[in-house]
Amino acid sequence: VTVSVLYWRMASESAGRMPLVVLVVGMAGTGKTTLVQRINHFAIENDKRAYFINMDPAVVDVPFDARIDIRDAVDYKDVMTKHRLGPNGAILTSLNVYATHISQVIGLVEARKDEVDYVFVDTPGQIEVFTWSASGQIITEAFASTFPTTMLFVGDTTRCVNPQTFMSTMLYSSSIMYKSQLPLTIAFNKCDAADGATPVQWMRDPEALSLALRDQKSYVATLTDSLAVFLHEFYETLQFALVSALAGTGIEELFEGLDRAKQQYVTEFLPVIRERAAARESEAAAAAADQVRRLQQDMADGDDGGAGSPS
């Protein structure tokens, strides 16, 4: 199925009827998979039509109802042993292998598109393996060119109440959004253990962050203050939700944020994706035409070379 056909299909169907694909990313230890488990329970209890996919080949137990599981296609330990790789290398290689079959995954989801409203994809805890790898980009673009797609970045609220860690989280989440060219929602997890109002205030008001850094004279504090001034306009409008995967609070607000991200995808990001796809198809068509021209020229030269009569 060509990209142009996929876009025509998206244009012919109401955006409200297309399921939203949510790529769940986050640093190790932020409670990403636990949050997906909580979302699974919430969906069942509140009649949310959700579909779950596990993309982490190294996870031992999947605590949610994964209808598609990368572990069914790729044996992480076998990859590690066979290729003599470490843990991260084996995860990356497993994703590379699975990316070659992503069209089958898309087909399975497409077959259920009239039965579900959300597709949650849990990615490896080693965030850089998915967000900065070629296979992660292939998987992301495959979903984004077929369905409305958003990134869900899970942050640890207990760490984000520290100004330096907060700024690191904003840098990482913003860079993922601009690299993927997709809308992004931040889920400040573990709000049962820390006050989520603090990072939210810093997101909205750079002066509040400066006040928190006022008594710190270190180089890191100065850098954080400077970055806040420069980057504030990039992250102040990000969708966010204060949640607790353990207590189950904030999940309804999270779904509301994801619904807004879906509309943002349709109005702001889809036109850009279409332009990129059209440019790629135009380049491919030009390259094919050039190959045909060269072949015809070679055939013509061959005919001219054999047309002479023997002396």
Side-chain angles (χ1 to χ4, degrees), residues 189-257:
N189 193 21
K190 306 182 184 180
C191 282
D192 55 311
D195 185 8
T198 299
V200 170
Q201 182 184 25
W202 291 343
M203 282 183 68
R204 298 294 183 251
D205 184 7
E207 293 298 326
L209 181 60
S210 295
L211 287 174
L213 294 165
R214 182 175 53 187
D215 296 330
Q216 301 183 28
K217 305 301 181 183
S218 66
Y219 167 77
V220 175
T222 303
L223 176 61
T224 300
D225 197 15
S226 299
L227 287 172
V229 174
F230 177 71
L231 293 173
H232 176 251
E233 63 178 309
F234 292 95
Y235 60 72
E236 67 173 335
T237 58
L238 289 178
Q239 301 286 343
F240 71 89
L242 303 177
V243 303
S244 170
L246 182 63
T249 57
I251 306 300
E252 181 66 41
E253 290 75 12
L254 175 59
F255 271 92
E256 292 173 358

Side-chain angles (χ1 to χ4, degrees), residues 150-168:
T150 184
M151 309 294 288
L152 176 60
F153 185 92
V154 183
D156 188 336
T157 306
T158 62
R159 296 184 179 274
C160 287
V161 293
N162 175 281
Q164 287 79 26
T165 307
F166 164 80
M167 183 50 61
S168 297

Side-chain angles (χ1 to χ4, degrees), residues 88-195:
N88 286 357
I91 293 174
L92 179 58
T93 302
S94 298
L95 279 176
N96 289 342
V97 173
Y98 202 65
T100 63
H101 303 287
I102 191 61
S103 61
Q104 299 177 28
V105 176
I106 298 297
L108 291 172
V109 177
E110 277 194 298
R112 303 290 300 274
K113 71 180 188 303
D114 295 327
E115 303 171 16
V116 299
D117 298 316
Y118 304 91
V119 179
F120 290 92
V121 182
D122 190 25
T123 63
Q126 290 76 358
I127 185 173
E128 70 282 354
V129 171
F130 184 83
T131 56
W132 301 104
S133 67
S135 55
Q137 183 175 358
I138 290 170
I139 293 170
T140 299
E141 290 184 353
F143 278 117
S145 63
T146 314
F147 304 101
T149 304
T150 184
M151 309 294 288
L152 176 60
F153 185 92
V154 183
D156 188 336
T157 306
T158 62
R159 296 184 179 274
C160 287
V161 293
N162 175 281
Q164 287 79 26
T165 307
F166 164 80
M167 183 50 61
S168 297
T169 300
M170 293 300 103
L171 276 170
Y172 216 128
S173 58
S174 298
S175 65
I176 289 173
M177 181 180 68
Y178 285 102
K179 182 181 184 299
S180 65
Q181 291 293 292
L182 292 171
L184 181 141
T185 300
I186 300 178
F188 288 106
N189 193 21
K190 306 182 184 180
C191 282
D192 55 311
D195 185 8

Side-chain angles (χ1 to χ4, degrees), residues 149 177-178 181-184 234 237-239 260-276:
T149 304
M177 181 180 68
Y178 285 102
Q181 291 293 292
L182 292 171
L184 181 141
F234 292 95
T237 58
L238 289 178
Q239 301 286 343
R260 289 191 293 269
K262 180 178 182 179
Q263 294 304 315
Q264 187 181 14
Y265 169 90
V266 173
T267 58
E268 299 179 24
F269 290 86
L270 183 57
V272 177
I273 294 175
R274 284 178 174 172
E275 290 177 4
R276 291 204 309 262

